[in-house]
Amino acid sequence: GAAVVDLIQDEAQQKGTGKWTSQNSLDLGEPIPTINAAVESRIISAYKDERVFASKALTGPSPKIICDRQEVMDANVIATVRGALYAAKICSYAQGFGLLRLASKEYGYNLNYGEIARIWRGGCIIRARFLNDIRDAFSRNPDLSNLMIDPEFARTLNAHQAALRKMVVLAAENGIPALAFSSALAY
């Protein structure tokens, strides 16, 4: 009977793959700010006792988002979050594939990005239908320099960038950390 967001712990664990990805991006000089923000957010979440202690001494803004579910839906907050999340997801995948592109060039891997998307789609960790769209983008242009400039992804980003901007503003106004949204927008 409770909202699922209230059941999610605000303390994440790590296996190290994000850290390795961030380290490799720095070694190669490929920016992956959204992925880095996700890694940093996980690290910050591990400091729960410090965060709880700090929240008693440091105050944030008074929330401006209406808390009643129906009013939130009427205010299009959910549609804004959904559009922002989709735009940020495109930016994050674009960064990841950009890192793969540079690593392939640097180390002579000769990677097939459409095939990577297909393999990930059948895997156990990522398995998102969204990977089919990525595979299609690399089928249209195997030499695509950045996923965001594929015509379909560019159209989608243009349609959702206002939501991403609004989400960053809403988060800041309500004292909600949104490192990944902010870095996706900056990218």
Side-chain angles (χ1 to χ4, degrees):
V4 72
V5 72
D6 294 329
L7 302 174
I8 298 171
Q9 263 189 326
D10 66 343
E11 198 171 359
Q13 303 296 315
Q14 295 196 63
K15 293 186 220 167
T17 53
K19 180 180 86 169
W20 301 331
T21 302
S22 293
Q23 288 170 332
N24 284 316
S25 75
L26 292 170
D27 289 343
L28 291 170
E30 179 70 20
I32 58 166
T34 308
I35 297 167
N36 290 340
V39 172
E40 291 169 4
S41 294
R42 290 180 82 112
I43 292 168
I44 290 168
S45 81
Y47 292 98
K48 177 145 185 166
D49 292 341
E50 287 182 34
R51 290 185 291 114
V52 169
F53 183 77
S55 72
K56 293 177 177 135
L58 304 170
T59 59
S62 296
K64 295 179 181 180
I65 293 177
I66 303 162
C67 292
D68 177 82
R69 182 172 173 79
Q70 188 57 46
E71 289 181 62
V72 167
M73 290 203 287
D74 290 345
N76 290 320
V77 172
I78 290 175
T80 297
V81 172
R82 183 174 285 127
L85 183 60
Y86 197 61
K89 181 175 167 178
I90 292 169
C91 293
S92 180
Y93 273 91
Q95 293 165 41
F97 275 92
L99 178 58
L100 288 172
R101 181 182 40 78
L102 190 58
S104 184
K105 181 179 176 184
E106 178 75 18
Y107 303 121
Y109 292 157
N110 196 31
L111 297 175
N112 179 325
Y113 310 109
E115 184 65 7
I116 289 170
R118 186 195 67 75
I119 291 167
W120 283 353
R121 174 72 171 96
C124 61
I125 296 173
I126 299 174
R127 203 180 256 178
R129 285 183 304 218
F130 179 73
L131 288 163
N132 291 336
D133 298 333
I134 293 172
R135 183 196 62 219
D136 294 345
F138 285 111
S139 292
R140 286 188 290 275
N141 180 0
D143 298 319
L144 186 63
S145 63
N146 187 304
L147 198 57
M148 296 188 328
I149 62 171
D150 169 76
E152 290 301 312
F153 281 112
R155 182 187 56 73
T156 301
L157 280 170
N158 286 330
H160 293 295
Q161 75 164 287
L164 181 55
R165 292 177 190 285
K166 186 173 181 178
M167 184 66 232
V168 171
V169 169
L170 279 172
E173 287 179 340
N174 287 279
I176 300 168
L179 277 72
F181 281 128
S182 297
S183 63
L185 178 59
Y187 181 78

